[in-house]
mmCIF file of all heavy atoms in Angstrom:
data_model
loop_
_atom_site.group_PDB
_atom_site.id
_atom_site.type_symbol
_atom_site.label_atom_id
_atom_site.label_comp_id
_atom_site.label_asym_id
_atom_site.label_seq_id
_atom_site.Cartn_x
_atom_site.Cartn_y
_atom_site.Cartn_z
ATOM 1 N N LYS W 47 -155.931 93.703 132.855
ATOM 2 C CA LYS W 47 -156.864 94.008 131.767
ATOM 3 C C LYS W 47 -156.173 94.042 130.404
ATOM 4 O O LYS W 47 -156.732 93.573 129.407
ATOM 5 C CB LYS W 47 -157.615 95.323 132.032
ATOM 6 C CG LYS W 47 -156.746 96.560 132.158
ATOM 7 C CD LYS W 47 -157.582 97.755 132.557
ATOM 8 C CE LYS W 47 -156.820 99.076 132.481
ATOM 9 N NZ LYS W 47 -155.593 99.129 133.267
ATOM 10 N N SER W 48 -154.925 94.554 130.385
ATOM 11 C CA SER W 48 -154.211 94.581 129.102
ATOM 12 C C SER W 48 -153.851 93.180 128.638
ATOM 13 O O SER W 48 -153.970 92.857 127.452
ATOM 14 C CB SER W 48 -152.940 95.413 129.224
ATOM 15 O OG SER W 48 -153.267 96.778 129.167
ATOM 16 N N THR W 49 -153.441 92.351 129.623
ATOM 17 C CA THR W 49 -153.118 90.961 129.277
ATOM 18 C C THR W 49 -154.340 90.263 128.699
ATOM 19 O O THR W 49 -154.252 89.539 127.695
ATOM 20 C CB THR W 49 -152.623 90.220 130.524
ATOM 21 O OG1 THR W 49 -151.532 90.952 131.066
ATOM 22 C CG2 THR W 49 -152.172 88.819 130.194
ATOM 23 N N LEU W 50 -155.512 90.521 129.309
ATOM 24 C CA LEU W 50 -156.742 89.913 128.808
ATOM 25 C C LEU W 50 -157.008 90.360 127.375
ATOM 26 O O LEU W 50 -157.338 89.550 126.498
ATOM 27 C CB LEU W 50 -157.923 90.295 129.713
ATOM 28 C CG LEU W 50 -159.283 89.752 129.278
ATOM 29 C CD1 LEU W 50 -159.284 88.231 129.242
ATOM 30 C CD2 LEU W 50 -160.405 90.261 130.200
ATOM 31 N N LEU W 51 -156.805 91.651 127.119
ATOM 32 C CA LEU W 51 -157.028 92.163 125.767
ATOM 33 C C LEU W 51 -156.078 91.508 124.772
ATOM 34 O O LEU W 51 -156.472 91.131 123.672
ATOM 35 C CB LEU W 51 -156.850 93.685 125.748
ATOM 36 C CG LEU W 51 -157.005 94.286 124.349
ATOM 37 C CD1 LEU W 51 -158.281 95.094 124.251
ATOM 38 C CD2 LEU W 51 -155.822 95.124 123.963
ATOM 39 N N HIS W 52 -154.818 91.353 125.197
ATOM 40 C CA HIS W 52 -153.839 90.723 124.287
ATOM 41 C C HIS W 52 -154.218 89.283 123.971
ATOM 42 O O HIS W 52 -154.060 88.825 122.844
ATOM 43 C CB HIS W 52 -152.435 90.781 124.906
ATOM 44 C CG HIS W 52 -151.883 92.169 124.943
ATOM 45 N ND1 HIS W 52 -151.018 92.601 125.931
ATOM 46 C CD2 HIS W 52 -152.097 93.238 124.138
ATOM 47 C CE1 HIS W 52 -150.713 93.870 125.706
ATOM 48 N NE2 HIS W 52 -151.356 94.269 124.633
ATOM 49 N N ILE W 53 -154.728 88.597 124.993
ATOM 50 C CA ILE W 53 -155.141 87.206 124.746
ATOM 51 C C ILE W 53 -156.342 87.168 123.809
ATOM 52 O O ILE W 53 -156.368 86.430 122.824
ATOM 53 C CB ILE W 53 -155.444 86.491 126.080
ATOM 54 C CG1 ILE W 53 -154.132 86.245 126.824
ATOM 55 C CG2 ILE W 53 -156.183 85.173 125.835
ATOM 56 C CD1 ILE W 53 -154.307 85.777 128.255
ATOM 57 N N LEU W 54 -157.343 88.040 124.110
ATOM 58 C CA LEU W 54 -158.534 88.068 123.258
ATOM 59 C C LEU W 54 -158.183 88.492 121.834
ATOM 60 O O LEU W 54 -158.841 88.092 120.875
ATOM 61 C CB LEU W 54 -159.589 89.020 123.850
ATOM 62 C CG LEU W 54 -160.148 88.649 125.233
ATOM 63 C CD1 LEU W 54 -161.202 89.673 125.673
ATOM 64 C CD2 LEU W 54 -160.733 87.235 125.234
ATOM 65 N N GLY W 55 -157.114 89.305 121.713
ATOM 66 C CA GLY W 55 -156.720 89.811 120.390
ATOM 67 C C GLY W 55 -155.702 88.936 119.692
ATOM 68 O O GLY W 55 -155.071 89.372 118.732
ATOM 69 N N PHE W 56 -155.475 87.733 120.188
ATOM 70 C CA PHE W 56 -154.549 86.787 119.557
ATOM 71 C C PHE W 56 -153.112 87.298 119.526
ATOM 72 O O PHE W 56 -152.339 86.944 118.651
ATOM 73 C CB PHE W 56 -154.994 86.430 118.127
ATOM 74 C CG PHE W 56 -156.234 85.601 118.067
ATOM 75 C CD1 PHE W 56 -157.495 86.179 118.214
ATOM 76 C CD2 PHE W 56 -156.145 84.221 117.883
ATOM 77 C CE1 PHE W 56 -158.634 85.411 118.164
ATOM 78 C CE2 PHE W 56 -157.295 83.449 117.826
ATOM 79 C CZ PHE W 56 -158.551 84.047 117.977
ATOM 80 N N LEU W 57 -152.781 88.194 120.456
ATOM 81 C CA LEU W 57 -151.408 88.695 120.503
ATOM 82 C C LEU W 57 -150.584 87.944 121.535
ATOM 83 O O LEU W 57 -149.370 87.984 121.517
ATOM 84 C CB LEU W 57 -151.394 90.196 120.842
ATOM 85 C CG LEU W 57 -151.970 91.135 119.789
ATOM 86 C CD1 LEU W 57 -152.078 92.548 120.347
ATOM 87 C CD2 LEU W 57 -151.116 91.142 118.535
ATOM 88 N N ASP W 58 -151.269 87.270 122.446
ATOM 89 C CA ASP W 58 -150.551 86.617 123.536
ATOM 90 C C ASP W 58 -151.185 85.249 123.798
ATOM 91 O O ASP W 58 -152.356 85.026 123.464
ATOM 92 C CB ASP W 58 -150.630 87.497 124.802
ATOM 93 C CG ASP W 58 -149.490 87.200 125.766
ATOM 94 O OD1 ASP W 58 -148.695 86.268 125.490
ATOM 95 O OD2 ASP W 58 -149.394 87.898 126.793
ATOM 96 N N ALA W 59 -150.400 84.369 124.383
ATOM 97 C CA ALA W 59 -150.899 83.035 124.689
ATOM 98 C C ALA W 59 -151.408 82.991 126.128
ATOM 99 O O ALA W 59 -151.023 83.817 126.946
ATOM 100 C CB ALA W 59 -149.777 82.018 124.500
ATOM 101 N N TYR W 60 -152.319 82.060 126.416
ATOM 102 C CA TYR W 60 -152.787 81.907 127.792
ATOM 103 C C TYR W 60 -152.267 80.601 128.347
ATOM 104 O O TYR W 60 -151.855 79.711 127.600
ATOM 105 C CB TYR W 60 -154.313 81.998 127.860
ATOM 106 C CG TYR W 60 -155.037 81.214 126.788
ATOM 107 C CD1 TYR W 60 -155.468 79.906 127.023
ATOM 108 C CD2 TYR W 60 -155.296 81.792 125.541
ATOM 109 C CE1 TYR W 60 -156.128 79.194 126.034
ATOM 110 C CE2 TYR W 60 -155.949 81.081 124.557
ATOM 111 C CZ TYR W 60 -156.363 79.789 124.801
ATOM 112 O OH TYR W 60 -157.005 79.087 123.812
ATOM 113 N N SER W 61 -152.273 80.490 129.678
ATOM 114 C CA SER W 61 -151.658 79.311 130.300
ATOM 115 C C SER W 61 -152.626 78.132 130.352
ATOM 116 O O SER W 61 -152.246 76.995 130.126
ATOM 117 C CB SER W 61 -151.180 79.638 131.714
ATOM 118 O OG SER W 61 -150.385 80.802 131.690
ATOM 119 N N SER W 62 -153.888 78.417 130.662
ATOM 120 C CA SER W 62 -154.871 77.327 130.669
ATOM 121 C C SER W 62 -156.268 77.893 130.448
ATOM 122 O O SER W 62 -156.467 79.113 130.448
ATOM 123 C CB SER W 62 -154.816 76.577 132.010
ATOM 124 O OG SER W 62 -155.230 77.446 133.040
ATOM 125 N N GLY W 63 -157.207 77.025 130.237
ATOM 126 C CA GLY W 63 -158.572 77.453 129.956
ATOM 127 C C GLY W 63 -158.871 77.358 128.478
ATOM 128 O O GLY W 63 -158.053 76.867 127.691
ATOM 129 N N ASP W 64 -160.064 77.809 128.079
ATOM 130 C CA ASP W 64 -160.471 77.754 126.680
ATOM 131 C C ASP W 64 -160.844 79.136 126.193
ATOM 132 O O ASP W 64 -161.467 79.916 126.910
ATOM 133 C CB ASP W 64 -161.710 76.842 126.518
ATOM 134 C CG ASP W 64 -161.391 75.411 126.890
ATOM 135 O OD1 ASP W 64 -160.358 74.904 126.414
ATOM 136 O OD2 ASP W 64 -162.158 74.819 127.675
ATOM 137 N N TYR W 65 -160.472 79.417 124.947
ATOM 138 C CA TYR W 65 -160.882 80.657 124.318
ATOM 139 C C TYR W 65 -161.552 80.285 123.005
ATOM 140 O O TYR W 65 -160.937 79.663 122.140
ATOM 141 C CB TYR W 65 -159.668 81.572 124.104
ATOM 142 C CG TYR W 65 -159.964 82.831 123.302
ATOM 143 C CD1 TYR W 65 -161.262 83.374 123.250
ATOM 144 C CD2 TYR W 65 -158.960 83.496 122.619
ATOM 145 C CE1 TYR W 65 -161.532 84.513 122.523
ATOM 146 C CE2 TYR W 65 -159.221 84.649 121.889
ATOM 147 C CZ TYR W 65 -160.513 85.150 121.836
ATOM 148 O OH TYR W 65 -160.784 86.283 121.109
ATOM 149 N N LEU W 66 -162.837 80.625 122.881
ATOM 150 C CA LEU W 66 -163.559 80.358 121.642
ATOM 151 C C LEU W 66 -163.826 81.669 120.925
ATOM 152 O O LEU W 66 -164.406 82.601 121.498
ATOM 153 C CB LEU W 66 -164.891 79.650 121.920
ATOM 154 C CG LEU W 66 -164.799 78.183 122.354
ATOM 155 C CD1 LEU W 66 -164.465 78.053 123.826
ATOM 156 C CD2 LEU W 66 -166.089 77.463 121.985
ATOM 157 N N PHE W 67 -163.380 81.745 119.675
ATOM 158 C CA PHE W 67 -163.628 82.928 118.863
ATOM 159 C C PHE W 67 -164.560 82.511 117.740
ATOM 160 O O PHE W 67 -164.286 81.556 117.014
ATOM 161 C CB PHE W 67 -162.308 83.473 118.299
ATOM 162 C CG PHE W 67 -162.448 84.800 117.601
ATOM 163 C CD1 PHE W 67 -162.414 85.985 118.330
ATOM 164 C CD2 PHE W 67 -162.621 84.864 116.224
ATOM 165 C CE1 PHE W 67 -162.549 87.215 117.689
ATOM 166 C CE2 PHE W 67 -162.765 86.092 115.580
ATOM 167 C CZ PHE W 67 -162.723 87.269 116.319
ATOM 168 N N GLU W 68 -165.699 83.181 117.647
ATOM 169 C CA GLU W 68 -166.761 82.797 116.707
ATOM 170 C C GLU W 68 -167.125 81.321 116.887
ATOM 171 O O GLU W 68 -167.345 80.596 115.917
ATOM 172 C CB GLU W 68 -166.338 83.063 115.253
ATOM 173 C CG GLU W 68 -166.212 84.545 114.945
ATOM 174 C CD GLU W 68 -165.944 84.815 113.468
ATOM 175 O OE1 GLU W 68 -165.086 84.103 112.894
ATOM 176 O OE2 GLU W 68 -166.585 85.714 112.910
ATOM 177 N N GLY W 69 -167.107 80.881 118.114
ATOM 178 C CA GLY W 69 -167.496 79.513 118.425
ATOM 179 C C GLY W 69 -166.412 78.481 118.206
ATOM 180 O O GLY W 69 -166.621 77.295 118.445
ATOM 181 N N LYS W 70 -165.249 78.919 117.751
ATOM 182 C CA LYS W 70 -164.186 77.952 117.465
ATOM 183 C C LYS W 70 -163.103 77.998 118.523
ATOM 184 O O LYS W 70 -162.662 79.079 118.934
ATOM 185 C CB LYS W 70 -163.564 78.220 116.090
ATOM 186 C CG LYS W 70 -164.327 77.546 114.975
ATOM 187 C CD LYS W 70 -163.742 77.916 113.625
ATOM 188 C CE LYS W 70 -164.698 78.816 112.850
ATOM 189 N NZ LYS W 70 -164.106 79.628 111.825
ATOM 190 N N GLU W 71 -162.707 76.813 118.957
ATOM 191 C CA GLU W 71 -161.613 76.664 119.920
ATOM 192 C C GLU W 71 -160.309 77.159 119.263
ATOM 193 O O GLU W 71 -160.013 76.796 118.119
ATOM 194 C CB GLU W 71 -161.512 75.179 120.314
ATOM 195 C CG GLU W 71 -160.306 74.803 121.129
ATOM 196 C CD GLU W 71 -160.245 75.576 122.436
ATOM 197 O OE1 GLU W 71 -161.295 75.722 123.107
ATOM 198 O OE2 GLU W 71 -159.144 76.039 122.760
ATOM 199 N N THR W 72 -159.547 77.973 119.980
ATOM 200 C CA THR W 72 -158.391 78.617 119.336
ATOM 201 C C THR W 72 -157.043 78.146 119.860
ATOM 202 O O THR W 72 -156.012 78.602 119.390
ATOM 203 C CB THR W 72 -158.460 80.145 119.535
ATOM 204 O OG1 THR W 72 -158.381 80.397 120.937
ATOM 205 C CG2 THR W 72 -159.725 80.731 118.985
ATOM 206 N N SER W 73 -157.058 77.231 120.839
ATOM 207 C CA SER W 73 -155.784 76.897 121.484
ATOM 208 C C SER W 73 -154.784 76.248 120.524
ATOM 209 O O SER W 73 -153.589 76.320 120.734
ATOM 210 C CB SER W 73 -156.019 75.965 122.669
ATOM 211 O OG SER W 73 -156.656 74.785 122.222
ATOM 212 N N SER W 74 -155.287 75.644 119.450
ATOM 213 C CA SER W 74 -154.365 74.949 118.541
ATOM 214 C C SER W 74 -153.950 75.830 117.363
ATOM 215 O O SER W 74 -153.294 75.359 116.441
ATOM 216 C CB SER W 74 -155.028 73.675 118.017
ATOM 217 O OG SER W 74 -156.179 74.035 117.278
ATOM 218 N N TYR W 75 -154.339 77.118 117.389
ATOM 219 C CA TYR W 75 -154.006 78.002 116.260
ATOM 220 C C TYR W 75 -152.497 78.184 116.143
ATOM 221 O O TYR W 75 -151.809 78.424 117.133
ATOM 222 C CB TYR W 75 -154.672 79.377 116.425
ATOM 223 C CG TYR W 75 -156.114 79.436 115.952
ATOM 224 C CD1 TYR W 75 -156.864 78.272 115.815
ATOM 225 C CD2 TYR W 75 -156.705 80.655 115.641
ATOM 226 C CE1 TYR W 75 -158.180 78.333 115.393
ATOM 227 C CE2 TYR W 75 -158.021 80.716 115.214
ATOM 228 C CZ TYR W 75 -158.760 79.546 115.097
ATOM 229 O OH TYR W 75 -160.050 79.605 114.680
#
Side-chain angles (χ1 to χ4, degrees):
Chain W
K47 61 186 189 304
S48 281
T49 305
L50 178 60
L51 177 110
H52 290 149
I53 289 170
L54 297 181
F56 291 80
L57 293 172
D58 203 356
Y60 44 93
S61 309
S62 65
D64 296 312
Y65 173 25
L66 288 80
F67 188 85
E68 292 186 315
K70 274 176 250 158
E71 171 59 43
T72 63
S73 59
S74 62
Y75 277 20

